[in-house]
Amino acid sequence: MARPIVAIVGRPNVGKSTLFNALAGERIAIVKDTPGVTRDRIYADVEWLTHKFTIIDTGGIEPASQDVILRQMREQAEIAVETADVIMFMTDVREGLTAADKEISEMLRRSRKPVVLVVNKVDNFDKFYADTYEFYNLGIGDPNPISATEKLGMGDMLENVVAHFPEQSGEEEEDERPRVAVIGKPNVGKSSIINRLLGEDRLIVSDIAGTTRDAIDTTVKRNGKEYVFIDTAGLRRKSKIKEEIERFSIIRTVSAVERCDVAVLVIDAEEGVTEQDAKIAGIAHERGKGMIIAVNKWDLIEKDDKTMNRFKDDIKDILSFMPYAEFLFISAKTGQRLVKLYDLIDVVISYHAMRVQTGVLNEILAEATAMVEPPQDKGKRLRLYYMTQVSVKPPTFVIFVNNKELAHFSYIRYLENKLREAFRFTGTPIKIIIRERKEKQ
């Protein structure tokens, strides 16, 4: 099941980014005292007790502002609210209840989403706790007093957040249909690809970047088998938007990728691969999803016998972190090679869910260490005891060793390549976890 999404919203400068960083465990969002400094809606995966979820840090909402930046921040925060399963509405005990807080609470009430009211900057509970009662006037539940800076009150707050998470339904678990997220920048042909597969114009196709505002699930049947395609809003490049206005749809892409087995990254053949494509691909890579790179509008390219290989080399150079990705050169307009997408999805999904017996894995491990000796440092050599597979989607392996510090990145990459030589793992990332085990064990 996809991770629940939690959006942190509120006026500028109430401490949203500080809370985000505290929950994410690292300093990701820029924190300054200037209202509106968080211009990007940033996301991070969080684990608390037995719960795993994704948090969204939004720009501050100024309901009445006509300023271009603040107006766009308001819009992108509204998108985060639409996408979220739970909303953390953050206020500031030092400033007290404001008119803007009341307007935001009305917006949240209309969303009909679960809201956890957070009152920040309660650095001293004896001094400020009584001031939190004022926020009952918002009529959206009990205030949760916290200090994001001092990390006070976080446990009680998170307990109230996870209480709203949707329970896993048996029906959802039984859905074995392949789920495919179609991701990419605006106007590269994502909706056109799905419409061509459907044989009808079900999704809006337009030359206006960002036409698709919602992630839409579409079921396509082929040879008696159903596939669920998730069409996502395109991600905008900042340089194309004045005043660094937000990339409106990154969270929808995160949400769609969470729910998919395979991500199809659509690249415009005329424009070529870009750094923005790498950022989008990184969302799927970080989450261990199968990956297919579909180069669309291939019919518009003048070709010789080396054009396709040159294009592949360019993509591999920019997307060097995912050498496992499969390629398909297509045209949504003419339907060129589009039917091959189904076969490639089937192949990637089978490898994504592949299991390998422990005995076979250890034969490969023994052969690999015989061919290339494990690294050593200061007279101590890395010893690899055994390997076992612990999960699928993506295939995840644990190798037990005598000393984790000796397990150099380059040697682990060598072992990964040996696994790929033996089993291919077409289109899927694989994870290798190193665990230390004393020789007596």
Side-chain angles (χ1 to χ4, degrees), residues 246-380:
E246 312 312 302
R247 294 174 307 201
F248 282 92
S249 41
I250 192 165
I251 299 307
R252 287 217 173 94
T253 301
V254 172
S255 176
V257 167
E258 281 285 2
R259 296 190 290 120
C260 80
D261 303 299
V262 176
V264 177
L265 173 66
V266 184
I267 291 174
D268 187 325
E270 290 188 297
E271 189 177 352
V273 64
T274 65
E275 289 298 329
Q276 183 71 359
D277 292 315
K279 290 176 184 175
I280 298 166
I283 295 171
H285 175 71
E286 286 169 7
R287 282 158 173 71
K289 304 297 182 176
M291 176 59 74
I292 296 169
I293 296 168
V295 182
N296 190 27
K297 308 181 186 179
W298 195 240
D299 55 311
L300 303 178
I301 301 298
E302 288 186 27
K303 308 172 195 66
D304 57 33
D305 58 343
K306 296 183 178 65
T307 307
M308 192 175 285
N309 286 334
R310 279 199 299 268
F311 216 97
K312 279 185 182 179
D313 288 343
D314 287 345
I315 294 172
K316 286 178 179 177
D317 185 44
I318 290 180
L319 306 185
S320 57
F321 55 88
M322 48 167 53
Y324 53 84
E326 284 295 295
F327 288 87
L328 193 61
F329 291 80
I330 62 170
S331 168
K333 189 175 181 181
T334 67
Q336 180 186 16
R337 295 195 193 90
L338 207 51
V339 75
K340 291 185 178 179
L341 185 60
Y342 292 110
D343 297 331
L344 203 48
I345 288 166
D346 289 342
V347 168
V348 171
I349 282 176
S350 67
Y351 281 112
H352 200 233
M354 185 178 186
R355 285 195 179 274
V356 183
Q357 292 181 340
T358 300
V360 177
L361 288 173
N362 285 292
E363 285 177 21
I364 293 165
L365 189 63
E367 185 180 312
T369 52
M371 290 175 66
V372 177
E373 280 196 346
Q376 62 176 339
D377 185 43
K378 296 175 184 173
K380 193 165 181 67

Side-chain angles (χ1 to χ4, degrees), residues 148-271:
T149 305
E150 304 296 330
K151 298 185 180 178
L152 299 174
M154 306 285 266
D156 290 342
M157 176 193 71
L158 288 172
E159 206 167 275
N160 290 325
V161 169
V162 302
H164 293 293
F165 286 173
E167 292 184 14
Q168 293 192 23
S169 67
E171 184 183 337
E172 197 166 35
E173 288 173 10
E174 290 167 14
D175 191 348
E176 296 292 324
R177 297 177 299 174
R179 303 185 73 83
V180 184
V182 184
I183 61 177
K185 295 180 302 186
N187 209 27
V188 293
K190 300 184 297 298
S191 298
S192 299
I193 288 169
I194 297 176
N195 285 336
R196 186 82 191 193
L197 294 172
L198 276 168
E200 58 181 287
D201 291 333
R202 183 177 297 185
L203 301 175
I204 299 166
V205 178
S206 165
D207 289 337
I208 302 166
T211 304
T212 311
R213 294 292 299 269
D214 287 302
I216 304 165
D217 287 13
T218 306
T219 302
V220 181
K221 187 176 272 190
R222 177 177 181 259
N223 295 338
K225 182 175 180 178
E226 286 190 350
Y227 300 79
V228 179
F229 284 89
I230 307 165
D231 184 32
T232 59
L235 299 188
R236 307 168 179 269
R237 266 207 314 276
K238 274 188 178 178
S239 58
K240 281 195 174 180
I241 306 170
K242 292 178 183 177
E243 307 286 349
E244 290 192 39
I245 289 166
E246 312 312 302
R247 294 174 307 201
F248 282 92
S249 41
I250 192 165
I251 299 307
R252 287 217 173 94
T253 301
V254 172
S255 176
V257 167
E258 281 285 2
R259 296 190 290 120
C260 80
D261 303 299
V262 176
V264 177
L265 173 66
V266 184
I267 291 174
D268 187 325
E270 290 188 297
E271 189 177 352

